[in-house]
Amino acid sequence: MKALIPETGFRAVFCRELVRMARSRLLILVVFILPPLSFAFIAWFFSQGVLHSLPVAVLDQDNTQLSREIIRRMDATPGIRIHLSVSNFTEGRQTIQSGETYGLVIIPKNLEKDVLRGLAPNTVLYVNNTYMIAASLIMKDATMAMQSLSSGLELKSHMAEGRTRQAAIGHIQPIRVDVRVPFNPYANYFYFLAATLLPTMLHMFVITSAIYAFGSELARSTAAEWLEKAGGSPWLAVFAKIFPYTLIFCAWGLFMNAFLFRMGVPMEGSGMLLRLGTSSMVLAYQAVALFLVAVCANMRMALSLASFYASTAFAFVGVTFPAMGMPSAARIWGDLLPLTHYLRLFVDQTLRGAPVQASMDAFGSLWLFVILAGGTGLILMPGRMKNPAYWGRK
């Protein structure tokens, strides 16, 4: 077997790195074990996809046929489940504060009488907006239920006055809004969150493993041996060392995308561009890792900077909060993250079905990271590898 592996050159460094990887429990964990575990956990956590049956309390102070119809209609919506009936406002508020329910519906006294007299009484809805997604869904479904019921009552009133059904509908809503949702019409949170969290997890494993691979050579003072295996060529040493990680994480990236599509995420655009974009994200974060190690010449410092850089990324990529609503500094920081550009490409090619040209700026941005960060790292790294002053820094 040893006869098949040359003493120096690309293959020698490549095989040396495979041996180092196999002997490192940390690398085995980060490269082979955590990626599939994190994918499986996120997929399980968001497997329901669409939120439904969120518990809501009701305070019925009217106790009439109309109030019972309101309760029935709200309970029939996908997002609301009337969990319990309370006897007073304090009891209802306590159910929200304790987390037992997400909201409280109050049907005021004399509601039915006021409706019959032609008045417009209010049904009050309290929601716990600490949970913004749940609160928004409850408000949407409650509003739709009340609008449907109100329109039905008004329709009956106009038809009782002798109007035809069509004329009565036109009087109730002379101008209607025809809402059409071309992208993610299912309001499926798996498509929205899981499909962005999986790449977020992947990029953390990529940058961590790359920093450890490069930084450990300096920390353990094995850089001279590494360079010797490469025949004295620093660039060959870098490329051969990172190559096995590139192959493995590109494979994980392809598996991640196939897994997402298997779970129902639509693929409306170019699959080839998405595959190239996924591999480019891997290369971009490996380039950033090389840059951090070369600049810091200290594995611990590089890992600390990478943890800040990678762990905060999800807050700035424009998924949970629109980038156009962020302050300028936050938008600039988001643009300095390869994940931001990859997720734009991912959403464009999966949910939006955008033309290839629309995603080329995101694809090009990923390669800017490869060229600028990787190029800087390649310029600085030879000096770190050859100078013993940079060795042994833990």
Side-chain angles (χ1 to χ4, degrees):
M1 183 69 180
K2 288 184 178 180
L4 298 176
I5 303 174
E7 291 295 324
T8 61
F10 187 96
R11 197 156 36 134
V13 178
F14 181 90
C15 294
R16 175 179 178 271
E17 191 58 33
L18 290 179
V19 172
R20 288 170 62 88
M21 190 188 305
R23 292 175 177 174
S24 170
R25 284 181 289 184
L26 176 63
L27 287 176
I28 291 174
L29 185 67
V30 172
V31 176
F32 296 104
I33 298 176
L34 287 181
L37 285 181
S38 63
F39 295 167
F41 174 77
I42 292 172
W44 167 77
F45 193 81
F46 292 102
S47 59
Q48 186 172 317
V50 179
L51 292 176
H52 61 82
S53 302
L54 298 170
V56 172
V58 62
L59 172 58
D60 186 359
Q61 297 175 328
D62 197 39
N63 289 311
T64 59
Q65 184 178 351
L66 180 59
S67 68
R68 288 188 288 273
E69 178 65 14
I70 290 172
I71 295 171
R72 187 190 70 78
R73 295 238 181 172
M74 287 193 178
D75 193 50
T77 61
I80 295 176
R81 173 172 59 88
I82 301 300
H83 177 61
L84 77 165
S85 179
V86 296
S87 57
N88 55 67
F89 173 74
T90 301
E91 183 183 351
R93 184 178 63 183
Q94 287 175 349
T95 66
I96 297 177
Q97 291 174 332
S98 65
E100 185 179 359
T101 65
Y102 289 101
L104 169 66
V105 178
I106 300 179
I107 303 174
K109 193 173 182 179
N110 298 322
L111 175 81
E112 189 174 66
K113 290 181 181 179
D114 289 343
V115 169
L116 294 174
R117 288 162 55 194
L119 301 177
N122 291 324
T123 297
V124 182
L125 172 65
Y126 289 90
V127 291
N128 184 357
N129 210 36
T130 304
Y131 306 100
M132 295 180 66
I133 294 176
S136 298
L137 184 60
I138 290 171
M139 287 188 287
K140 178 178 73 73
D141 280 5
T143 301
M144 289 178 59
M146 292 304 297
Q147 286 178 343
S148 174
L149 179 60
S150 299
S151 297
L153 292 173
E154 195 170 352
L155 179 64
K156 289 180 181 179
S157 175
H158 288 300
M159 292 180 67
E161 294 173 359
R163 290 189 175 94
T164 64
R165 180 180 180 84
Q166 196 63 33
I169 292 175
H171 185 81
I172 294 170
Q173 194 175 15
I175 301 175
R176 286 179 286 180
V177 179
D178 183 9
V179 179
R180 303 186 183 188
V181 184
F183 313 124
N184 194 11
Y186 325 100
N188 192 310
Y189 288 99
F190 183 88
Y191 301 168
F192 165 61
L193 284 175
T196 52
L197 281 171
L198 263 62
T200 302
M201 298 301 299
L202 181 66
H203 94 278
M204 295 175 71
F205 301 138
V206 171
I207 195 170
T208 301
S209 61
I211 286 178
Y212 188 83
F214 290 128
S216 62
E217 296 283 8
L218 300 179
R220 296 174 181 173
S221 301
T222 56
E225 176 193 334
W226 173 30
L227 189 59
E228 182 183 351
K229 278 287 183 182
S233 171
W235 285 19
L236 187 147
V238 169
F239 286 123
K241 183 175 191 63
I242 201 63
F243 192 58
Y245 299 94
T246 304
L247 292 178
I248 293 168
F249 281 112
C250 284
W252 278 129
L254 296 176
F255 171 80
M256 173 189 73
N257 290 335
F259 177 71
L260 288 171
F261 300 144
R262 179 70 177 175
M263 294 296 291
V265 174
M267 181 63 217
E268 304 291 346
S270 169
M272 178 59 70
L273 180 59
L274 182 61
R275 288 190 286 272
L276 290 173
T278 304
S279 300
S280 299
M281 183 190 71
V282 172
L283 292 173
Y285 274 105
Q286 289 179 335
V288 171
L290 176 64
F291 171 78
L292 291 175
V293 172
V295 169
C296 297
N298 183 304
M299 185 173 69
R300 183 177 298 176
M301 178 63 71
L303 284 171
S304 298
L305 291 175
S307 65
F308 172 78
Y309 183 71
S311 62
T312 61
F314 194 70
F316 295 94
V317 294
V319 173
T320 55
F321 190 88
M324 63 184 67
M326 294 181 183
S328 299
R331 288 201 303 272
I332 292 171
W333 178 250
D335 287 337
L336 293 175
L337 303 167
L339 183 66
T340 300
H341 306 285
Y342 173 73
L343 290 180
R344 287 174 185 166
L345 187 151
F346 182 91
V347 172
D348 281 351
Q349 297 304 313
T350 55
L351 298 179
R352 287 183 55 210
V356 169
Q357 294 82 354
S359 297
M360 290 311 294
D361 60 338
F363 184 74
S365 296
L366 290 173
W367 276 95
L368 275 178
F369 284 97
V370 176
I371 295 168
L372 297 179
T376 305
L378 285 173
I379 292 171
L380 296 177
M381 199 63 185
R384 310 296 189 250
M385 297 166 67
K386 295 176 181 179
N387 190 344
Y390 295 109
W391 302 350
R393 296 181 179 181
K394 302 280 186 183

